[in-house]
Amino acid sequence: MAPQGDKSSYTDKQKRKAQHIEDSYEKRGVSEEEAEKRAWATVNKQGGGKKSGSGRGKS
């Protein structure tokens, strides 16, 4: 498992999406730290980083 905060396994598209989600949370008054956590949780839920060799891909 990558260390906390390592986003290198994500695509540029996912990084942009996370940033967009983070910004919208912050506009609603969520703290920067909490907004980032929620944004990445959302991106992960929608299909996380490029997972290879885990044996748990979509069938």
Side-chain angles (χ1 to χ4, degrees):
M1 168 109 185
Q4 178 85 41
D6 178 20
K7 305 291 192 273
S8 63
S9 64
Y10 290 89
T11 64
D12 287 340
K13 188 177 178 183
Q14 286 169 318
K15 288 173 190 168
R16 282 197 304 273
K17 183 180 235 171
Q19 186 62 57
H20 182 71
I21 296 165
E22 191 179 332
D23 289 346
S24 57
Y25 274 126
E26 286 174 24
K27 283 193 190 99
R28 283 182 267 170
V30 177
S31 75
E32 193 175 331
E33 192 179 345
E34 181 63 25
E36 186 180 2
K37 272 189 242 170
R38 290 189 197 179
W40 284 107
T42 304
V43 171
N44 283 327
K45 200 169 64 187
Q46 293 172 350
K50 290 179 277 191
K51 297 185 177 71
S52 58
S54 68
R56 286 201 313 256
K58 291 189 179 78
S59 54

